[in-house]
Amino acid sequence: MTARQASSSAEDGAPPGRRAHGDLQELFDETIARDQRIEPRDWMPDGYRKTLIRQVAQHAHSEIIGMQPEGEWITRAPSLRRKAILFAKVQDEAGHGLYLYSAAETLGADRADLTQRLIEGRQKYSSIFNYPTPTFADVGVIGWLVDGAAICNQVPLCRSSYGPYARAMVRICKEESFHQRQGYELLMTMTRGTGAQREMVQDAVNRWWWPSLMMFGPPDEDSPNSARSMAWKIKRHSNDELRQRFVDMTVPQAEKLGVNLPDPELRWNEERGRYDFGTPDWAELKRVISGDGPCNAERVARRRAAHEEGAWVREAAAAHAAKRAARQRKGAAA
Ligand SMILES: [Fe+2]
Ligand SMILES: [Fe+2]
């Protein structure tokens, strides 16, 4: 019997007493232990549901807020080709947000409520999107480093224990790897260009390197919820392990581009077979997460304005749906 069958037989009249609950918990644990997926109608512990809603909502918000820093460059892209690429990329991020809000809805979350929480500052999004994008090189560096870090974080989520989240991640990761490559290609073009372009790229790398490392979250010893998420197989690797993977993947790419990563402690460790690197400024991460980053207020204000300006679209869509439902009812009655 699967957890789903168990929960529907409980709904079908079996006594939902203590014993039934124990059975459901056991089935849930077995499903996780066998590396099988939990699906929306399966019974799941409250903590699992809450943790997932929080994680998936934060992820959805990050995709949507993440449209802003690069979106600012759409009207100023240096060529039609770059404009078309950037447009497509920013639109992909909107799509990622929508898949993820849908995944959150399968857990019983209400999308309007999640948006409300975001614009009231009650729910978070990735700290990385609170940094400014003063030059076009930022577009390339975001693709290379920020989408690159997102891939390191998200590829293991394709095996997350919650089915709708894992399946959304499969598609998202395919698009993220495109994003990463377009960023890298843009930087390749710029570093082969003029001295001023190379400087612009180096400056952007200097500004984004440390915030990208912070995308993996606080160090493991300061990440108290990680162990539980890993036991539930929502999360597959620790923050520090993912950060290390990102560094190991990125250093050779930086060498190929001919840019310096701004970390004097960065060096190959023969014994470990991995790179050693310096410690990010965790006080800065805390500051940015708690709302005091360079662009936090601006990002949330812009999201709020877009939501308010879109109210008429939501009202029109609801009125249209109501009218169509009434017409169908009338047709069925006739
Ligand atoms: Fe994305
Ligand atoms: Fe992306």
Side-chain angles (χ1 to χ4, degrees):
M1 188 161 68
T2 67
R4 186 172 326 141
Q5 286 162 334
S7 63
S8 53
S9 67
E11 282 159 17
D12 291 346
R18 217 168 267 154
R19 220 200 60 168
H21 179 273
D23 289 349
L24 292 170
Q25 176 73 53
E26 210 170 288
L27 276 165
F28 173 86
D29 294 341
E30 276 170 24
T31 307
I32 299 284
R34 280 199 302 260
D35 259 336
Q36 286 172 338
R37 295 269 160 80
I38 303 296
E39 295 296 339
R41 288 158 70 190
D42 292 343
W43 181 90
M44 60 188 88
D46 266 355
Y48 179 84
R49 188 185 296 276
K50 279 193 192 131
T51 300
L52 264 170
I53 290 178
R54 202 192 56 224
Q55 179 172 336
V56 176
Q58 273 186 23
H59 193 163
H61 297 330
S62 302
E63 302 283 355
I64 298 296
I65 296 282
M67 296 166 73
Q68 290 186 33
E70 288 177 283
E72 286 173 13
W73 280 96
I74 290 174
T75 55
R76 295 176 290 165
S79 68
L80 185 59
R81 178 170 174 264
R82 292 294 170 195
K83 194 192 286 280
I85 294 170
L86 187 53
F87 231 140
K89 196 234 176 191
V90 171
Q91 197 168 292
D92 280 354
E93 306 301 6
H96 298 173
L98 298 185
Y99 306 151
L100 289 163
Y101 283 125
S102 299
E105 282 179 323
T106 67
L107 290 155
D110 175 68
R111 189 161 142 198
D113 172 58
L114 297 180
T115 302
Q116 207 56 39
R117 283 167 191 262
L118 170 67
I119 61 183
E120 286 172 7
R122 287 186 288 134
Q123 237 167 17
K124 306 218 178 295
Y125 54 89
S126 177
S127 58
I128 194 79
F129 300 117
N130 292 310
Y131 291 87
T133 44
T135 74
F136 197 68
D138 291 88
V139 170
V141 171
I142 288 178
W144 175 40
L145 296 181
V146 176
D147 289 274
I151 293 167
C152 282
N153 254 329
Q154 293 172 11
V155 164
L157 292 176
C158 298
R159 296 189 298 119
S160 172
S161 59
Y162 187 59
Y165 190 33
R167 288 188 290 273
M169 290 322 302
V170 172
R171 178 151 177 193
I172 290 176
C173 282
K174 283 183 186 159
E175 294 179 348
E176 296 300 359
S177 71
F178 241 129
H179 296 172
Q180 202 237 5
R181 274 183 276 174
Q182 68 80 33
Y184 195 74
E185 189 266 347
L186 168 56
L187 296 179
M188 268 292 183
T189 307
M190 289 186 82
T191 50
R192 285 180 191 146
T194 65
Q197 284 176 307
R198 273 191 292 278
E199 264 171 45
M200 211 187 268
V201 171
Q202 184 61 57
D203 167 65
V205 171
N206 293 347
R207 286 181 288 107
W208 288 95
W209 174 249
W210 292 107
S212 300
L213 292 189
M214 294 178 200
M215 282 176 71
F216 298 93
D220 291 349
E221 67 264 24
D222 288 335
S223 183
N225 298 326
S226 274
R228 204 167 61 151
S229 277
M230 281 169 71
W232 276 330
K233 296 185 183 170
I234 295 174
K235 201 172 157 167
R236 296 281 180 160
H237 308 283
S238 78
N239 296 354
D240 288 334
E241 167 58 20
L242 291 168
R243 196 169 1 255
Q244 176 77 58
R245 285 184 185 196
F246 174 69
V247 172
D248 293 342
M249 175 183 97
T250 309
V251 174
Q253 296 171 349
E255 283 165 4
K256 214 165 195 153
L257 274 177
V259 296
N260 296 314
L261 297 173
D263 178 358
E265 292 174 50
L266 186 68
R267 65 180 60 82
W268 178 250
N269 183 322
E270 194 65 58
E271 220 169 280
R272 291 200 307 130
R274 310 190 93 170
Y275 285 93
D276 289 339
F277 55 99
T279 308
D281 180 353
W282 298 124
E284 176 181 323
L285 177 65
K286 274 198 187 128
R287 232 174 19 247
V288 178
I289 287 183
S290 62
D292 200 17
C295 302
N296 297 54
E298 180 187 329
R299 301 286 185 242
V300 173
R302 178 121 183 241
R303 181 70 195 91
R304 178 183 290 128
H307 185 65
E308 284 165 5
E309 283 161 18
W312 70 272
V313 179
R314 293 188 295 278
E315 283 160 18
H320 176 71
K323 222 152 102 185
R324 206 166 58 171
R327 224 177 11 241
Q328 273 166 356
R329 270 199 306 275
K330 228 163 123 187

